[in-house]
Amino acid sequence: MYLPFKLFKFIFCTLLLINSILCYDPPKRKFHNSLIIDDRLLIFSGWTNIDDYTYELFYLDLSKSFDNYNLTWTLIPEGNLPIYTYRSTAVLSLDNSTIYLYGGFMTNKNLAYDYSNLVYTYDYPTSTWSTPNLGGDIVPPRQNIKGVMDNSGTIYIFGGYNATNLTTSSGHLYNDMNILKTVSNTWKTLTTSGNLPFLCAEYTANILPNGNIVYIGGIEKVSADANFSSVDMNKIKLFDTNKLEWSQMNATGIEIVPRWYFSSVLTPDGYIIILGGRTYSATNDDLKSVSPKLATLDTNKNPFEWSIPSNSVVNAPPSIYGHTANLYGDYMIVTFGVELDTELYTSQVYLYNIKNNKWVTTFSPPDNKTTTTTTSSTAPSTTTKPTITTSPTKKSSKSLAIGLGAAIGVAFLISCIFITTFIVRRTREPAPEIFETPGSNQ
Ligand SMILES: *[C@@H]1O[C@H](CO)[C@@H](O)[C@H](O)[C@H]1NC(C)=O
Ligand SMILES: *[C@@H]1O[C@H](CO)[C@@H](O)[C@H](O)[C@H]1NC(C)=O
Ligand SMILES: *[C@@H]1O[C@H](CO)[C@@H](O)[C@H](O)[C@H]1NC(C)=O
Ligand SMILES: *[C@@H]1O[C@H](CO)[C@@H](O)[C@H](O)[C@H]1NC(C)=O
Ligand SMILES: *[C@@H]1O[C@H](CO)[C@@H](O)[C@H](O)[C@H]1NC(C)=O
Ligand SMILES: *[C@@H]1O[C@H](CO)[C@@H](O)[C@H](O)[C@H]1NC(C)=O
Ligand SMILES: CC(=O)N[C@H]1CO[C@H](CO)[C@@H](O)[C@@H]1O
């Protein structure tokens, strides 16, 4: 049933000479990755709401204004992923040219679990994925992790989950710290000092300018025979990347319900904004939405302090989990995930203005990015776009000029590919949802 729809839409778009790439309608998803390179919010991987495994890389153009109810997604056809993965982490290199995709439940194109390569890199200028040769320590596969990069190009990956039985997805939590030095392409399992945290996954991670990584929330296992439990949101884990030392901070402020599958962004003025996630009620193990949905942690204070911005409740989106959030200019941009109350996947984008702490429906690019000015009074580096542009957008504006004949030709070709894909389509196993009941001990 979805075949005729897609086919119809495709032919419709092509015949109207609207570029098929611009007409792209991405599958909804959760547990995906998102990163911003060169005015583009790139989305890839994740567990989709359709039966197919999907490999697309696509983006939202942040160089133009848009309304959140009327979005144009653009596919980067040559950027198709070599692997299907969800619950993975993706980190951008310091020069904004390379994506490091690590971990998750990884399935190869023969639809078999495949952990032969734990890291895939995407070179943005050439739109190519590759598997880097990594030396150093042997690092195991992990799921439900969040990597961050320090200013020397080292990626830090804390703990996470390792499914040892891929049929049942049962496995173990970890609390080790594995680093990938992207300068030398070497892994290392760090020997850390200080107050080692419990085994943990599903947390959020943000690195502060002073080199401390702030880990919030998630699930943990407090002793060998304990069940999974949710992490107290006031118990902030700090990892000092300079001293390789763990510490714990007791945050103050309003009470934040524990959660996992939530998002976090760090603002330039030192606030970590968290959004959504899910939790469970201790009385009956029912999974439920979190309160408050949005909160900020002021990392300028010592200890850190939680609060709810007063304007943030008006026009707030429904409770969501499995989404991602990225900061761009004045906006926190929230993409995909699942609405908790309906359990429906969403492709709605939500926009939160971090300057006035309001949910808004319109995105505007940062002023000085779009205006070309000859005066020297403009703010310095923020005005320069990274030089590493490849430009499907430019290509696509050219392709608006292709003739009807060419368009029908392309339509025919892609329809053939599409139908072939449909025929060889196979169904997936259901997404393991083991972490949604921290009471269970898998
Ligand atoms: C959506 O955007 C397109 C192009 O950007 C525009 O032509 C159309 O009118 C918009 N629709 C709505 C409902 O605003
Ligand atoms: C990478 O992109 C960010 C904004 O997304 C920018 O602030 C930074 O200067 C860029 N770095 C380089 C080396 O281009
Ligand atoms: C993690 O899981 C994989 C199978 O997915 C297994 O081969 C590996 O040994 C596990 N590692 C650890 C440390 O448990
Ligand atoms: C995984 O779990 C299933 C179901 O409990 C069991 O039948 C199977 O033997 C397990 N596989 C391994 C490798 O332990
Ligand atoms: C773990 O959860 C199970 C099932 O809810 C319960 O029976 C058991 O007592 C729990 N174990 C601990 C150590 O809390
Ligand atoms: C944080 O609170 C715990 C009690 O919940 C206490 O044992 C610990 O010493 C406190 N840590 C700090 C750094 O204040
Ligand atoms: C958003 C932003 O940075 N706007 C600045 C653009 O540049 C002018 C001066 O050229 C500033 O006054 C704006 O604040």
Side-chain angles (χ1 to χ4, degrees), residues 70-114:
N70 187 11
L71 297 164
T72 305
W73 299 103
T74 306
L75 182 67
I76 303 180
E78 64 276 26
N80 256 10
L81 275 73
I83 192 97
Y84 179 86
T85 185
Y86 59 100
R87 301 174 189 273
S88 54
T89 188
V91 185
L92 185 58
S93 67
L94 294 176
D95 66 357
N96 296 337
S97 73
T98 310
I99 296 170
Y100 291 84
L101 175 64
Y102 164 78
F105 285 97
M106 308 174 94
T107 309
N108 64 26
K109 296 214 164 163
N110 297 323
L111 308 184
Y113 281 111
D114 187 345

Side-chain angles (χ1 to χ4, degrees), residues 97-392:
S97 73
T98 310
I99 296 170
Y100 291 84
L101 175 64
Y102 164 78
F105 285 97
M106 308 174 94
T107 309
N108 64 26
K109 296 214 164 163
N110 297 323
L111 308 184
Y113 281 111
D114 187 345
Y115 294 94
S116 52
N117 292 295
L118 299 182
V119 176
Y120 291 83
T121 55
Y122 178 70
D123 183 53
Y124 179 77
T126 60
S127 301
T128 44
W129 285 96
S130 38
T131 48
N133 269 328
L134 302 175
D137 293 344
I138 307 291
V139 166
R142 291 287 159 84
Q143 296 93 37
N144 299 310
I145 27 66
K146 175 80 183 158
V148 294
M149 186 178 278
D150 70 9
N151 56 19
S152 70
T154 296
I155 298 171
Y156 293 78
I157 293 163
F158 163 57
Y161 188 77
N162 184 11
T164 46
N165 185 328
L166 295 171
T167 312
T168 58
S169 290
S170 53
H172 303 285
L173 286 178
Y174 288 85
N175 62 351
D176 49 357
M177 182 62 93
N178 294 299
I179 63 167
L180 176 61
K181 294 183 185 174
T182 62
V183 175
S184 56
N185 269 351
T186 47
W187 278 113
K188 189 171 170 55
T189 300
L190 289 181
T191 306
T192 61
S193 61
N195 188 359
L196 186 69
F198 295 127
L199 315 178
C200 184
E202 294 295 319
Y203 51 77
T204 61
N206 298 90
I207 187 163
L208 302 177
N210 66 9
N212 279 345
I213 308 175
V214 181
Y215 291 98
I216 304 174
I219 56 165
E220 65 186 359
K221 203 166 142 94
V222 299
S223 66
D225 58 353
N227 291 324
F228 292 167
S229 55
S230 47
V231 176
D232 183 336
M233 296 294 276
N234 286 340
K235 300 261 182 278
I236 308 287
K237 301 175 184 68
L238 295 176
F239 184 73
D240 183 332
T241 57
N242 300 307
K243 295 186 195 156
L244 308 185
E245 185 178 83
W246 281 107
S247 60
Q248 187 187 283
M249 180 186 279
N250 295 332
T252 60
I254 60 139
E255 193 194 333
I256 309 288
V257 161
R259 63 195 68 199
W260 56 99
Y261 298 149
F262 63 113
S263 63
S264 75
V265 297
L266 172 66
T267 67
D269 56 354
Y271 287 81
I272 293 175
I273 306 176
I274 63 159
L275 175 72
R278 43 193 318 172
T279 192
Y280 71 105
S281 89
T283 48
N284 58 8
D285 256 17
D286 276 351
L287 296 159
K288 59 171 195 177
S289 57
V290 293
S291 172
K293 286 181 220 170
L294 182 142
T296 60
L297 183 67
D298 185 352
T299 68
N300 304 303
K301 293 197 170 144
N302 191 356
F304 299 167
E305 186 183 44
W306 284 112
S307 62
I308 308 174
S310 57
N311 291 334
S312 67
V313 182
V314 183
N315 295 327
S319 297
I320 55 171
Y321 73 92
H323 58 284
T324 60
N326 296 80
L327 202 59
Y328 191 73
D330 292 345
Y331 301 90
M332 177 172 82
I333 308 172
V334 179
T335 48
F336 295 91
V338 174
E339 287 185 9
L340 245 178
D341 296 334
T342 57
E343 282 292 342
L344 291 177
Y345 286 78
T346 178
S347 57
Q348 179 69 62
V349 164
Y350 297 104
L351 301 167
Y352 183 73
N353 186 313
I354 63 165
K355 284 282 151 63
N356 57 21
N357 294 314
K358 280 183 177 155
W359 290 100
V360 294
T361 54
T362 306
F363 171 87
S364 313
D367 283 349
N368 291 336
K369 278 229 154 175
T370 43
T371 52
T372 42
T373 172
T374 47
T375 65
S376 56
S377 63
T378 344
S381 63
T382 52
T383 60
T384 43
K385 282 174 70 161
T387 51
I388 46 166
T389 42
T390 52
S391 254

